Amino acid sequence: MNSRKSKKVRKGRGGKIFAILLSIVIFFALIIFGVVMIGRQVISSQTDNIAAKFLPSSGSSGSSGSSEGSASVTDAVSQMGSATPSAIATKLNENADVIKSQSQGMISSAKATSTGSKVTYTLESSKLNKATVGALLLASGDQVEEVADKVLDSMKKAGVAQPKLQVDLTDDKGNVIKTLNYSA
């Protein structure tokens, strides 16, 4: 009779251990979810700040005001109106130092070129690899796409037929890690 009691006790312990482990996994999953959501909010606000500094403004004649840095992407694009690919590339190159400093050391070089209806923006970094780029795009890819769509809309307003935006993420040796292509 003792052997039957001990079997029941073992069976109950296994269920309790499983329930405790499952509770711990769910708890950690909730914590990770919360951290990711907070990270998305921080990335979104940083994206707004960076984009507001590099989008050309149609309200001023080439000068960038101090209030531009605190504007959101939507505000900057609504003020921008229309911009040709060369105007966007020029503004990106003018603000390369700002973009590098806002990246907190992740970007070592930023250069924009324009050819016809296409803007190519090359970001160089010794700290990026395929895994980190994938993680960054997973966390904030929708914000990157939103900025790209607004830039493409700006080029459309300027009368550019089939505007294109290409963002090349390269390592310090010039090897392309990831290419992001956007077209309207």
Side-chain angles (χ1 to χ4, degrees):
M1 201 172 239
N2 287 339
S3 63
R4 288 185 185 174
K5 279 186 174 181
S6 62
K7 284 183 183 178
K8 288 181 182 178
V9 172
R10 286 185 201 157
K11 196 172 188 181
R13 281 187 189 166
K16 288 180 183 178
I17 291 173
F18 178 74
I20 291 170
L21 290 176
L22 184 63
S23 299
I24 291 172
V25 168
I26 291 172
F27 176 73
F28 282 125
L30 288 172
I31 289 175
I32 291 171
F33 177 75
V35 168
V36 167
M37 295 320 286
I38 290 171
R40 285 180 57 84
Q41 182 64 30
V42 169
I43 290 171
S44 175
S45 67
Q46 288 295 326
T47 302
D48 287 349
N49 290 339
I50 291 171
K53 290 177 182 171
F54 74 76
L55 293 173
S57 173
S58 64
S60 62
S61 60
S63 66
S64 59
S66 62
S67 64
E68 267 186 45
S70 62
S72 70
V73 172
T74 308
D75 295 340
V77 171
S78 65
Q79 293 173 358
M80 183 171 61
S82 62
T84 62
S86 60
I88 291 173
T90 301
K91 191 68 171 177
L92 287 170
N93 288 330
E94 287 173 0
N95 292 307
D97 291 334
V98 172
I99 292 168
K100 287 189 282 188
S101 68
Q102 289 285 329
S103 73
Q104 300 173 350
M106 290 296 286
I107 296 173
S108 56
S109 172
K111 184 178 182 202
T113 57
S114 66
T115 54
S117 63
K118 181 179 182 180
V119 175
T120 303
Y121 195 45
T122 305
L123 301 171
E124 182 181 300
S125 175
S126 61
K127 297 180 180 180
L128 291 178
N129 59 35
K130 288 186 180 188
T132 56
V133 168
L136 287 171
L137 290 175
L138 183 63
S140 63
D142 53 340
Q143 287 118 0
V144 173
E145 191 170 328
E146 179 183 341
V147 171
D149 288 341
K150 292 184 185 296
V151 169
L152 291 171
D153 286 342
S154 171
M155 287 192 278
K156 268 185 174 178
K157 288 178 186 176
V160 176
Q162 298 178 344
K164 295 177 183 150
L165 174 65
Q166 178 177 332
V167 180
D168 291 330
L169 302 170
T170 64
D171 60 13
D172 54 347
K173 296 174 184 145
N175 301 324
V176 176
I177 298 170
K178 181 83 173 172
T179 298
L180 306 171
N181 288 306
Y182 301 98
S183 60

